[in-house]
Amino acid sequence: MRSDHFCLFLFLVTLTACGKQEPQAENPTAVALPADSHFQEFHAEIQNFCSHCHLCPAPGVLTKEAWRMQIPREYAHFEQNPSPSLRVPPQSEVIQYFVSQAPETHSLPKQYAHPASGPVRFRKQMIRRTDSKSLPATAHLNWVSDHSPEELLLTDMGSGEVGRIRFDPGQPEYELLAELKHPAHIERVDLNQDQQDDYLIADLGSFGPEDHDRGTVSLLTFNSKTHTWQTQTLQDHLGRVADVKAADFDGDGDLDLIVAEFGWHKTGRLLYLENVSPAKTELKFEQRVLDKRHGASHMLITDWNQDGRLDFVTLFSQEHEIIVAFLNEGNNQFRKETIYQAPDPAYGSSSIALVDLDRDDDLDLLFTNGDTMDSFELRSSHSLQWLENKGEFPFTHHPIAPLTGAYCATHGDFDGDGDIDLAACTMTWDYNQPRNTIVWYEQLSPGQFRAYPLDYSMGQHPVITAGDFDGDGDPDLAVGNFEGRETDQRNKKEWFSIWWNEGLQKPE
């Protein structure tokens, strides 16, 4: 199974798939399952065939209709790179095997048409697009507050805009930094060590999913003479680049890069770019492949084992659906450890975030799965999850709450009671009915949460982040809007929204 997305957005397979003819299955209605005496043998054959590429899914993860569509796609993928030694079971029998054991529909969580924000009052402010040339396609919102000035960074993978929002005095003011191709991720960093902020950009190179070499890693630097931002390409001829991070991994005093080259089917890797620049004004990197798997969508940097060397964690989606820690062993060598392996290849992994949720002085992971681009259906397994760090791998998995189409999550003490609360957004591509697309979760006791929906709409939100935008001491929320296709429900004006935290509600 393949999940074409990243917090971002490879959900765009729907845009390019429209109008294409799906691979046709053999007629499944004329095929019967093997007799009971041979069922286990047939089951083992399917397990062996599916496991050639990924974990073999349980029939219940998709509906009957979805299996009829999905299995021909998987056979088409296999035929692009067949294994002559592998016994290939008849497609019609495989379809019948899964369809006969699959549900007709999934039971989804209840939606609340009149949401109440619970003990905290949030006020929505819609931030409009600066033009109406294209539909909003917010790919990344990144609140940076490590030093002044604090700012909210934005990329729009449709228009190509990269910009920043500063809140002075409290009201958002947008500044365009550059117009690129299809930027997916932005980081603020002083890469050339000139004591001035630069902006590091991961660019997909295409709006929809393709195998190509147009992805790039770029750097925006400010020219004080011309008072303009200049774009420098650090690495090109890549597949679709979903994420890039900078850190001094080799301890030599300069910043190296790790690159999540998501790719698609035939492209995609996890790359390490060692900084070998001869001078600050002449940036140069040597590329090395850390992992040959495609589907790397998110990366987070931390020192997992507290040995003084920076490590990082990567989320691989597509058919891999795995979170991997890359532990820095020095000399540019990294050891891989599995943090979490999802139970099926259509799990829809969509985001990860670092958080010490249990306040035990180590970092855990907040994890969402809700991408729908495998089967184009909403599943009961979509949820918000906590991966607890107990000092060993893999981490301990805890479900927090079901959330249909869960796409991104953030955290903060929204109610001011001293513990960590959560917030999440969804992207379902479901325009048939409104849903609770933004939800915050009050932590009632360690690891136990109560959900409070903030809206009931058909909005599509790939990204959410928390920050004290107005400096009043409590965290607010910024939520990106993504209308990737023409529908009657679209809102071309809403680019993203700020949900101002106005404190505890007064009891009536």
Side-chain angles (χ1 to χ4, degrees), residues 240-259:
R240 293 186 297 165
V241 180
D243 196 0
V244 60
K245 294 287 196 301
D248 185 8
F249 290 106
D250 54 9
D252 63 354
D254 55 26
L255 296 178
D256 312 297
L257 303 178
I258 47 173
V259 179

Side-chain angles (χ1 to χ4, degrees), residues 55 206 231 367 447:
L55 291 176
S206 64
T231 304
F367 173 45

Side-chain angles (χ1 to χ4, degrees), residues 6-181:
F6 28 81
C7 177
L8 315 162
F9 323 105
L10 310 175
F11 42 65
L12 292 170
V13 69
T14 51
L15 301 178
T16 57
C18 292
K20 288 188 178 180
Q21 185 175 3
E22 291 287 350
Q24 296 299 306
E26 303 168 42
N27 180 12
T29 60
V31 179
L33 282 174
D36 289 345
S37 59
H38 300 291
F39 183 83
Q40 289 303 321
E41 181 180 343
F42 187 62
H43 171 80
E45 184 176 343
I46 290 178
Q47 289 278 336
N48 183 60
F49 176 61
C50 293
S51 299
H52 176 71
C53 298
H54 50 67
L55 291 176
C56 186
V61 302
L62 299 179
T63 61
K64 295 180 184 297
E65 180 181 0
W67 279 123
R68 294 187 182 102
M69 296 176 60
Q70 188 67 32
I71 291 173
R73 293 192 192 109
E74 297 307 314
Y75 270 77
H77 286 311
F78 175 77
E79 289 167 3
Q80 293 176 6
N81 188 25
S83 175
S85 62
L86 186 66
R87 163 84 169 94
V88 181
Q91 184 181 145
S92 57
E93 293 183 17
V94 173
I95 291 175
Q96 184 64 7
Y97 170 85
F98 283 98
V99 167
S100 67
Q101 302 176 79
E104 291 286 351
T105 61
H106 291 304
S107 177
L108 301 178
K110 179 181 178 180
Q111 302 296 300
Y112 295 90
H114 304 286
S117 63
V120 178
R121 180 187 298 276
F122 285 91
R123 174 177 57 85
K124 179 182 178 180
Q125 179 182 3
M126 183 176 72
I127 309 300
R128 299 177 180 273
R129 284 192 56 84
T130 54
D131 61 65
S132 58
K133 292 186 295 184
S134 60
L135 292 168
T138 308
H140 191 207
L141 291 171
N142 184 7
W143 173 245
V144 288
S145 57
D146 54 336
H147 64 263
S148 182
E150 297 179 332
E151 54 192 10
L152 181 65
L153 307 179
L154 174 147
T155 67
D156 186 301
M157 60 178 283
S159 67
E161 289 186 49
V162 173
R164 62 187 181 189
I165 300 96
R166 292 179 175 173
F167 299 84
D168 186 25
Q171 291 302 310
E173 294 184 3
Y174 174 73
E175 177 188 357
L176 175 67
L177 299 176
E179 290 186 353
L180 305 177
K181 292 181 179 178

Side-chain angles (χ1 to χ4, degrees), residues 339-401:
I339 291 178
Y340 180 70
Q341 173 66 69
D344 73 77
Y347 200 60
S349 300
S350 49
S351 75
I352 51 174
L354 291 169
V355 57
D356 184 8
L357 193 59
D358 51 4
R359 296 291 181 92
D360 64 350
D361 296 323
D362 58 24
L363 287 173
D364 313 304
L365 283 176
L366 195 59
F367 173 45
T368 59
N369 73 302
D371 178 74
T372 62
M373 290 302 103
D374 263 334
S375 58
F376 310 104
E377 68 176 12
L378 305 180
R379 296 172 55 186
S380 54
S381 61
H382 292 171
S383 64
L384 178 62
Q385 302 158 61
W386 168 34
L387 302 177
E388 182 185 2
N389 182 356
K390 291 187 175 182
E392 60 183 10
F393 298 102
F395 285 10
T396 302
H397 177 266
H398 302 278
I400 291 177

Side-chain angles (χ1 to χ4, degrees), residues 192-337:
N192 55 14
Q193 298 180 313
D194 63 354
Q195 309 305 311
Q196 300 293 324
D197 287 331
D198 311 315
Y199 295 100
L200 187 62
I201 313 294
D203 197 300
L204 297 166
S206 64
F207 189 68
E210 302 175 35
D211 283 315
H212 58 61
D213 64 353
R214 301 192 299 275
T216 61
V217 175
S218 301
L219 187 71
L220 298 183
T221 58
F222 188 71
N223 187 320
S224 58
K225 294 181 180 179
T226 62
H227 296 282
T228 58
W229 289 94
Q230 298 179 336
T231 304
Q232 177 183 357
T233 300
L234 302 179
Q235 199 81 16
D236 56 6
H237 300 295
L238 300 174
R240 293 186 297 165
V241 180
D243 196 0
V244 60
K245 294 287 196 301
D248 185 8
F249 290 106
D250 54 9
D252 63 354
D254 55 26
L255 296 178
D256 312 297
L257 303 178
I258 47 173
V259 179
E261 185 189 34
F262 186 96
W264 196 30
H265 294 155
K266 299 178 181 179
T267 55
R269 301 162 296 175
L270 183 67
L271 303 175
Y272 174 63
L273 304 185
E274 181 185 0
N275 191 335
V276 294
S277 304
K280 295 179 180 179
T281 56
E282 188 182 348
L283 293 174
K284 183 179 179 181
F285 298 87
E286 288 186 355
Q287 182 190 115
R288 185 160 62 88
V289 178
L290 292 182
D291 198 298
K292 294 182 179 180
R293 284 175 286 194
H294 58 192
S297 61
H298 299 75
M299 302 179 300
L300 303 168
I301 296 174
T302 186
D303 182 2
W304 281 119
N305 50 12
Q306 299 180 347
D307 63 356
R309 293 190 293 259
L310 288 174
D311 314 306
F312 66 96
V313 57
T314 301
L315 170 61
F316 291 92
S317 54
Q318 295 282 69
E319 72 272 28
H320 306 297
E321 303 290 355
I322 190 172
I323 302 171
V324 180
F326 287 78
L327 302 179
N328 190 344
E329 298 194 315
N331 298 316
N332 294 326
Q333 300 298 312
F334 294 86
R335 174 169 55 89
K336 302 176 190 178
E337 294 284 356

